[in-house]
């Protein structure tokens, strides 16, 4: 079994870095970091040198998600586990290690062509992070946040992420199969999986997405920071994907905004933390207790 500790970073391919400058800095309120490539954007939310990297490309999409392991021994065990499961593994090159500022790196693809990177030894900074609007992001042992990925087969996705990668099922939600082009009367599942106290670090939706991501979630420590970010969304006229609301499963109070890459960013606070020794996986019957109009309030 792979002992993933947290979601460590995301890398995003972009055709327009100026849009990301506005979106990440002025709307989300992330802090600029530093890195080896002068044409890349490095964004900080905590002591880690960069959690979000945006680089120039001819496409707009999620490039990969990095997942943090404890050390060299854990990465070696992960390599052996993946190879035994018949999953092709690539070693990170020296250039890639320098770019991500990690000591070791393995890369592989899930059955749906989503790219995962397992790493250890990421750098962190002596200089405290000072975000533009003084928001404090919830990270630590909960990692960067969570990501929701598109898949084509929800049954195989659960098997792969749970049995091959070691994620733990925390919550499920069913939806009519016709929503994703399947036969009327059938059911498909959204599954929410965790690796640490954060309710979920990974979820999947059985629906293809050209951006190779449904959404990424960032959590701040105070409701006022969510409200101020929502005001900045309006000020800069960035498309709102879902209004403010509180989710049922992880109890997050959040809104969703469209990123320049085409996927959404959920920006929230007050997310649920769990203890696996006592947690029981359940099925939620609605997306949210209130709010979260995915028509953007129109």
């Amino acid at each position: 079994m792979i002992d993933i500790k947290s979601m460590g970073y995301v890398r995003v391919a972009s055709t327009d870095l100026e849009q990301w400058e506005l979106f990440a800095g002025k709307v989300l309120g992330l802090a600029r970091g530093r890195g080896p490539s002068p044409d890349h954007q490095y964004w900080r939310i905590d002591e880690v040198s960069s959690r979000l990297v945006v680089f120039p490309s001819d496409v707009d999409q999620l490039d990969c998600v990095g997942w943090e392991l404890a050390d060299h021994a854990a990465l070696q065990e992960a390599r052996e586990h993946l190879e035994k499961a018949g999953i092709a593994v690539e070693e990170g090159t020296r250039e890639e290690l320098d770019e991500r500022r990690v000591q070791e790196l393995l890369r592989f693809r899930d059955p749906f062509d989503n790219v995962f990177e397992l790493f250890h030894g990421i750098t962190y900074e002596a200089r405290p992070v000072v975000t533009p609007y003084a928001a404090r992001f919830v990270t630590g042992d909960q990692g960067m946040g969570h990501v929701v990925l598109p898949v084509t087969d929800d049954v195989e996705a659960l098997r792969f992420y749970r049995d091959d990668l070691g994620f733990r099922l925390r919550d499920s939600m069913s939806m009519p199969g016709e929503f994703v082009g399947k036969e009327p009367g059938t059911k498909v599942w959204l599954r929410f999986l965790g690796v640490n106290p954060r309710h979920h670090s990974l979820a999947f939706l059985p629906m293809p997405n050209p951006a190779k991501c449904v959404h990424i979630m960032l959590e701040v420590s105070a409701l006022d920071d969510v409200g101020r970010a929502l005001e900045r969304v309006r000020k800069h006229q960035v498309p709102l994907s879902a209004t403010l609301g509180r989710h049922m499963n992880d109890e997050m109070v959040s809104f969703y905004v469209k990123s320049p890459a085409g996927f959404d960013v959920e920006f929230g606070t007050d997310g649920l933390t769990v203890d696996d020794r006592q947690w029981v996986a359940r099925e939620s019957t609605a997306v949210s207790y209130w709010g979260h109009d995915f028509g953007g309030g129109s």
Side-chain angles (χ1 to χ4, degrees), residues 122-142:
I122 199 166
T123 62
Y124 61 104
E125 301 290 330
R127 179 170 54 92
V129 65
V130 180
T131 59
Y133 306 103
R136 299 187 64 176
F137 288 83
V138 178
T139 57
D141 62 356
Q142 297 188 53

Side-chain angles (χ1 to χ4, degrees), residues 286-297:
V287 173
S288 305
Y289 287 116
W290 54 267
H292 286 142
D293 175 1
F294 280 87

Side-chain angles (χ1 to χ4, degrees), residues 171-185:
D171 208 289
S172 301
M173 188 169 64
S174 65
M175 59 188 291
E178 52 263 41
F179 283 7
V180 294
K182 296 188 180 294
E183 291 291 321

Side-chain angles (χ1 to χ4, degrees), residues 70-91:
D71 51 27
H72 171 75
L75 198 68
Q76 287 297 109
E77 290 178 9
R79 177 189 285 106
E80 294 169 7
H81 180 80
L82 291 168
E83 290 174 347
K84 187 175 181 180
I87 299 165
V89 177
E90 300 173 12
E91 294 279 348

Side-chain angles (χ1 to χ4, degrees), residues 167-172 191-201 249 272-276 279-283:
F167 285 88
R168 299 183 286 278
L169 181 64
R170 296 274 172 77
D171 208 289
S172 301
R191 305 284 192 182
F192 302 86
L193 304 105
V195 289
N196 57 46
R198 192 181 292 281
H199 176 273
H200 61 279
S201 296
N249 57 6
L272 180 68
T273 57
V274 305
D275 180 346
D276 276 309
W279 184 256
V280 177
R282 298 171 295 179
E283 178 186 352

Side-chain angles (χ1 to χ4, degrees), residues 128-296:
V129 65
V130 180
T131 59
Y133 306 103
R136 299 187 64 176
F137 288 83
V138 178
T139 57
D141 62 356
Q142 297 188 53
M144 176 184 177
H146 75 235
V147 63
V148 182
L149 296 174
V151 301
T152 54
D153 184 334
D154 54 333
V155 175
E156 170 60 15
L158 179 60
R159 187 209 64 77
F160 180 81
Y161 297 139
R162 182 189 59 198
D163 300 344
D164 288 338
L165 301 190
F167 285 88
R168 299 183 286 278
L169 181 64
R170 296 274 172 77
D171 208 289
S172 301
M173 188 169 64
S174 65
M175 59 188 291
E178 52 263 41
F179 283 7
V180 294
K182 296 188 180 294
E183 291 291 321
T186 60
K187 180 186 291 189
V188 294
W189 289 95
L190 287 73
R191 305 284 192 182
F192 302 86
L193 304 105
V195 289
N196 57 46
R198 192 181 292 281
H199 176 273
H200 61 279
S201 296
L202 171 70
F204 60 81
L205 181 68
M207 183 184 297
N209 187 311
K212 301 191 76 171
C213 178
V214 179
H215 76 255
I216 291 166
M217 187 283 298
L218 299 174
E219 183 177 0
V220 289
S221 61
L223 180 61
D224 283 347
D225 292 325
V226 176
R228 292 185 184 110
L230 191 53
E231 289 297 309
R232 297 194 298 270
V233 168
R234 292 172 180 154
K235 175 183 176 181
H236 294 288
Q237 299 181 324
V238 181
L240 190 67
S241 301
T243 59
L244 192 69
R246 185 186 285 275
H247 279 305
M248 251 189 103
N249 57 6
D250 69 353
E251 301 181 7
M252 187 80 68
V253 176
S254 63
F255 65 87
Y256 290 71
V257 62
K258 188 70 67 179
S259 80
F263 57 77
D264 289 339
V265 173
E266 180 185 6
F267 197 93
T269 191
D270 200 27
L272 180 68
T273 57
V274 305
D275 180 346
D276 276 309
R277 295 170 299 179
Q278 300 174 337
W279 184 256
V280 177
R282 298 171 295 179
E283 178 186 352
S284 54
T285 54
V287 173
S288 305
Y289 287 116
W290 54 267
H292 286 142
D293 175 1
F294 280 87

Side-chain angles (χ1 to χ4, degrees), residues 38-95:
D39 60 345
H40 292 196
Q41 291 179 9
Y42 300 91
W43 296 99
R44 291 181 64 191
I45 58 174
D46 60 5
E47 72 278 3
V48 173
S49 297
S50 59
R51 291 289 195 177
L52 167 66
V53 178
V54 185
F55 61 90
S57 176
D58 58 357
V59 296
D60 289 296
Q61 63 184 30
L62 178 67
D63 180 67
C64 70
V65 183
W67 299 94
E68 187 164 24
L69 276 62
D71 51 27
H72 171 75
L75 198 68
Q76 287 297 109
E77 290 178 9
R79 177 189 285 106
E80 294 169 7
H81 180 80
L82 291 168
E83 290 174 347
K84 187 175 181 180
I87 299 165
V89 177
E90 300 173 12
E91 294 279 348
T93 65
R94 182 71 259 167
E95 182 180 25

